[in-house]
Amino acid sequence: MTRTKGMAWVGGVGYLLAVGLLVAGAPRASGTVHGIGALLAASLLVGVLRSTPILALAMTLLGSTAVVVGPPSTAHVDQSASYQGQFLSYLAVDLVLGFIVATRTRRSSTVAAAISLVVQLLLVGGFAHGDGLAVNLLIALLAMAAACTAGLLSRERREHAVQLRAQEVAEAVVAERLRIARELHDMVAHSIGIIAIQAGVGSRVIETQPGEAREALRAIESTSRETLSGLRRTLVALRRTDPDAEVSGRAPLAPSPGLADLERLAAATADAGVRVDVSRGGQQRPLPADIDLSAYRIVQEALTNVVRHAGTGRCRVAIDYADEELSVEIVDDGRGAAEDGPAHGFGIVGMRERVALLHGRISAGPRPEGGFRVAARLPLPLPVPDAVAVEAR
């Protein structure tokens, strides 16, 4: 930072020296040479402009005024023409003014524009003569208006970009909150449903069938430990700030569940009194993590609804791996509650949100022959050879 400020001050001093040499060292040069020389010398003020734009404006006003007020050449051109060329130096003032309008507050920009306008009008009015007076006044006004307009457009574009970024951040926060809510709902609702059923079974048979009661307690313990482990992983993921868990000394997070865990999910559901028949069709292959997790959560939520609301002891889960999509279907022969009834809470809503994020389709509702059916179709990415063939076409 100190070095940058030092370079800025060196540039400022260099600008003043360059203007002084133009005015005092080349008095017989034309006004156009003076004006262009002062305009080029203004490039030395880049450092000052970045750190202190108001000071850069004051220095360019001082340098440009010195070029105009300094002794003009009278050897080869008349004085009026000389002054007309020297007014080119004020283009540097307009460039600095545009930067101030684009980056500083409106109050500072207004004051800077007013001072620059007054100085230029006074100098043009005092040193331009004849037809050159109107021409130079018009050029000065147009140049200043163009610089201020460009600065305002740059300011509005930057403010709009900031607003868009803030909106994107807010939308990302909302989306992440919804994702976490879905994960917690899918994780907790299934486990709590199983725990509630097992607790009810245990309380009814604890005196008459102690063995069954012990099995129910074991199922409650196993399910609650698994749920606590999942909640712990979720909380660690939310609190983690260091992406390298090994370096920070924390244990790595367990992988998210997927369709490979369906048998374990079916066993846990069977402990709650509902037998799950899982069938798989098509060519099984690794799936993208988001599709694999979403398919698992859809099955988990559907089984939770079967356990809690269907009133049946059996259901079927069918997974079909097609070339372009993954089909997930859960069917039971229970009571067939209404699709969006209050008993289902946010379960089906969460399913729909997951499928919508993956640009898939889902249907959930009672079957005409009885029971309830959930069917989701999730698009799958093309295999590498197929994708290459599609691009070639």
Side-chain angles (χ1 to χ4, degrees), residues 53-55 57-58 61 93-94 96-101 104-120 144 148:
I54 301 299
L55 178 59
L57 179 65
L61 280 172
V93 176
D94 296 332
V96 175
L97 179 61
F99 182 83
I100 292 175
V101 172
R104 297 302 170 180
T105 63
R106 298 188 182 276
R107 180 177 180 181
S108 300
S109 302
T110 303
V111 173
I115 293 175
S116 178
L117 177 63
V118 170
V119 171
Q120 292 193 49
M144 183 177 298
C148 292

Side-chain angles (χ1 to χ4, degrees), residues 112-133:
I115 293 175
S116 178
L117 177 63
V118 170
V119 171
Q120 292 193 49
L121 290 182
L122 288 177
L123 267 293
V124 172
F127 288 87
H129 304 284
D131 295 338
L133 176 61

Side-chain angles (χ1 to χ4, degrees), residues 270-359:
D271 291 339
V274 177
R275 178 182 173 184
V276 181
D277 297 325
V278 179
S279 63
R280 302 175 188 262
Q283 182 180 359
Q284 299 185 34
R285 57 188 184 273
L287 300 174
D290 53 348
I291 297 178
D292 199 22
L293 175 61
S294 295
Y296 176 86
R297 292 303 189 195
I298 290 171
V299 175
Q300 184 184 49
E301 178 57 32
L303 294 182
T304 300
N305 289 336
V306 172
V307 170
R308 297 174 62 183
H309 310 299
T312 183
R314 186 172 182 177
C315 71
R316 300 183 301 277
V317 175
I319 309 295
D320 183 60
Y321 294 79
D323 292 336
E324 298 182 355
E325 65 181 11
L326 176 72
S327 175
V328 179
E329 184 181 57
I330 304 95
V331 178
D332 68 75
D333 299 320
R335 289 190 291 263
E339 175 182 352
D340 290 316
H344 287 84
F346 296 102
I348 294 179
V349 174
M351 292 184 197
R352 296 190 186 279
E353 290 176 349
R354 288 184 181 277
V355 173
L357 288 174
L358 297 174
H359 307 287

Side-chain angles (χ1 to χ4, degrees), residues 172-188:
V173 170
V174 173
E176 183 65 12
R177 290 177 61 183
L178 290 176
R179 186 191 69 81
I180 294 172
R182 286 194 299 268
E183 286 295 317
L184 292 178
H185 175 273
D186 294 344
M187 184 187 308
V188 175

